[in-house]
Amino acid sequence: MPSGVRSSRGGSALRFGRYAAMGTVAVLILIAGVWASWGTAQHVMLTKGRERGTVEVTRCADDGCSGPYAPLSPGSQPRAKVVLDDSVAVEKGRTYTVVLKPGGREAVRAGPAGILYAWVPLGGALLLASVVVAGGLLRTRLAWLMALAGAGVLTAAFVAL
């Protein structure tokens, strides 16, 4: 067998291995982004049966901001104190629409701002995966689409908050 044929087969096996490895890395990054986002997004997007209301922020500390909860949904009870994550760009003295997590002590922002904030980890994962897709899979158009989608999510969340 000529050596050129052997090297061609070896080259295609290496190329397949690179595509498989980089494809796996890109998919794992995207799965991690969805996983990290879904922890908050499920409460904001699937609100049926969840307690919805408003929180007037009266105090902010290291662990988050808190205030009294006023219900908006039927069956929801007022609470003297619920906690909003401090990184959600909340300010003392303002009132925010929220959805309570099961248990009723922790709240997440509702509405478009809450949805966009919940999907920020996926936006970051799209940006990171676009580098892997461009460099490892040599799919530049797909990489640009992923990068633009990720940057769009991050920019929209920044503007909305």
Side-chain angles (χ1 to χ4, degrees):
M1 201 182 266
S3 64
V5 173
R6 199 173 316 139
S7 119
S8 170
R9 288 182 187 167
S12 63
L14 286 175
R15 195 173 321 117
F16 174 77
R18 183 185 73 193
Y19 287 147
M22 291 297 110
T24 301
V25 168
V27 168
L28 286 175
I29 290 170
L30 292 174
I31 289 171
V34 170
W35 186 272
S37 296
W38 189 245
T40 303
Q42 65 178 325
H43 302 294
V44 180
M45 296 176 71
L46 305 174
T47 60
K48 187 175 182 180
R50 298 190 193 273
E51 295 184 73
R52 289 168 285 159
T54 60
V55 172
E56 183 182 349
V57 177
T58 56
R59 181 172 175 267
C60 286
D62 292 337
D63 60 342
C65 294
S66 61
Y69 169 78
L72 293 176
S73 61
S76 183
Q77 300 297 317
R79 291 175 174 74
K81 179 183 173 185
V82 295
V83 178
L84 267 167
D85 186 11
D86 189 31
S87 66
V88 186
V90 296
E91 296 176 16
K92 186 176 176 181
R94 292 195 55 194
T95 302
Y96 299 96
T97 19
V98 297
V99 176
L100 294 182
K101 289 184 177 181
R105 176 134 165 65
E106 292 183 46
V108 292
R109 293 262 311 253
I115 292 171
L116 288 169
Y117 176 73
W119 289 108
V120 163
L122 178 62
L126 281 165
L127 281 175
L128 182 58
S130 72
V131 174
V132 174
V133 169
L137 297 176
L138 305 176
R139 301 288 187 240
T140 54
R141 286 186 184 141
L142 178 61
W144 274 109
L145 288 173
M146 291 171 67
L148 289 173
V153 169
L154 295 175
T155 303
F158 177 77
V159 170
L161 291 176

